[in-house]
Amino acid sequence: LHRYFDFYLRGQDNGWEKDTPKVRWSALQFGNREAIDNIELEDYPVPGTEYRELFLHDGTLNTEPAKESSMVTYDSTKREDVADFTYTFKDKTRLIGLPKAVLYISCEERDDLIIFVTLRKRDAKGNLLMHLNFPFKAMPYDTIEEIPEKERAILNLHKGSMGILRASHRAYDPERSLHPQFPFHPHDKEEKIPPGTIVKLEIGIWSIGYDFDAGESISVQIGGQLPAFTEYDAFSKPRPEHEKNKGTHKIHIGPEHPSSIILPFIPQ
């Protein structure tokens, strides 16, 4: 940072622009492993990124849509109740870039929905992992598992990248979108949904940098509450009742409603 400030604040010709990579990224390994930092990239999004669409099945993600129609449900009022879809990597894999969820969802009890999509990592045994947001040497514990529940918060632990969308604000502007994978929602109109009507939602998800070893997995978790820790007991509290989720959300799956997640696989 000294060279950066010397160049931009002091006007020193120290070669900062010539020998500094255009993009430097970090890939999270999750669990009790440090992030892999200072990955030099030619540009962002990474040239040659392969955006693979994985379709939601009953608890899994597959390269082809389900052949038969079905539904997966969750209670939109309970934080711990989520729909979970998992894909296991056969080879070492790195994901860097912009994921996007494409979901077909309905709700009988309300004319609007708030959807939270989180990308979680699982180890080879299927255990959900978190990432420590600072070096392990800077905390008084040796592992994440040793951190008491009362000390766990979004400031020190990261569950995974997330996308949030209120269905009545699903309209997006392709021309103003940063990338096809990250829709721009102008929020200039409200389109309520007749209860029970299936609606298509395109949900941009925060940029990711995840590393996976063979046998590790990614889980797409979809729910109706902010997947935070105990320091938040509700999302956007207090809010009027008509703005909150209510009842069961139904995720529709199959040839007519090919709900999916699109992930950025980079060349290695």
Side-chain angles (χ1 to χ4, degrees):
L1 286 179
H2 287 167
R3 293 182 65 222
Y4 171 86
F5 287 121
D6 285 345
F7 181 82
Y8 285 104
L9 299 183
R10 294 180 174 177
Q12 294 183 5
D13 185 9
N14 57 13
W16 168 263
E17 287 188 321
K18 297 178 181 178
D19 55 21
T20 301
K22 184 176 183 180
V23 180
R24 286 182 289 186
W25 206 261
S26 293
L28 307 185
Q29 301 189 88
F30 287 84
N32 297 309
R33 294 186 287 179
E34 302 279 5
I36 300 172
D37 296 322
N38 291 315
I39 300 170
E40 296 185 7
L41 302 174
E42 179 183 345
D43 206 342
Y44 185 84
V46 182
T49 296
E50 180 184 355
Y51 295 98
R52 297 185 195 174
E53 187 168 18
L54 300 176
F55 296 90
L56 277 56
H57 286 236
D58 186 10
T60 64
L61 297 169
N62 294 270
T63 55
E64 297 293 334
K67 294 182 179 180
E68 297 183 0
S69 297
S70 63
M71 289 186 302
V72 176
T73 65
Y74 59 88
D75 186 336
S76 68
T77 66
K78 296 181 179 179
R79 182 188 302 162
E80 65 276 9
D81 193 6
V82 296
D84 191 300
F85 305 89
T86 300
Y87 179 84
T88 300
F89 297 92
K90 296 180 180 179
D91 303 301
K92 189 174 180 63
T93 302
R94 175 168 287 173
L95 305 179
I96 290 181
L98 296 165
K100 183 174 76 170
V102 181
L103 303 177
Y104 294 82
I105 293 189
S106 66
C107 179
E108 299 282 352
E109 294 88 350
R110 182 136 286 175
D111 60 2
D112 206 353
L113 312 87
I114 307 170
I115 308 298
F116 297 82
V117 182
T118 310
L119 301 184
R120 300 293 307 270
K121 182 178 177 179
R122 294 182 184 270
D123 65 18
K125 295 182 179 180
N127 299 309
L128 285 169
L129 302 176
M130 293 183 286
H131 170 72
L132 187 68
N133 291 331
F134 44 78
F136 278 87
K137 64 182 180 181
M139 77 164 181
Y141 308 104
D142 293 326
T143 67
I144 290 175
E145 291 75 18
E146 294 176 28
I147 302 174
E149 287 290 334
K150 64 180 182 179
E151 295 182 17
R152 297 186 178 194
I154 58 174
L155 293 177
N156 61 1
L157 291 171
H158 176 61
K159 291 184 176 181
S161 289
M162 180 171 59
I164 309 171
L165 183 64
R166 181 180 289 276
S168 61
H169 286 249
R170 62 192 177 277
Y172 67 92
D173 185 346
E175 294 186 0
R176 298 171 70 185
S177 297
L178 292 172
H179 189 273
Q181 286 287 101
F182 203 80
F184 176 86
H185 301 278
H187 301 291
D188 55 2
K189 62 180 177 179
E190 185 178 60
E191 298 175 289
K192 293 290 189 177
I193 304 152
T197 301
I198 301 173
V199 62
K200 179 183 179 181
L201 305 177
E202 296 196 28
I203 305 174
I205 299 172
W206 302 339
S207 294
I208 64 171
Y210 290 7
D211 265 20
F212 297 88
D213 290 330
E216 295 182 328
S217 304
I218 189 168
S219 281
V220 179
Q221 294 191 335
I222 304 167
Q225 299 295 317
L226 181 70
F229 294 92
T230 53
E231 80 265 36
Y232 294 105
D233 60 2
F235 172 65
S236 294
K237 185 181 178 181
R239 303 298 300 176
E241 282 300 318
H242 73 274
E243 289 189 6
K244 297 179 182 179
N245 277 330
K246 180 181 179 181
T248 299
H249 288 180
K250 300 177 181 178
I251 304 171
H252 298 264
I253 296 168
E256 295 183 2
H257 303 106
S259 294
S260 67
I261 185 78
I262 305 171
L263 298 174
F265 291 69
I266 70 164
Q268 295 202 68

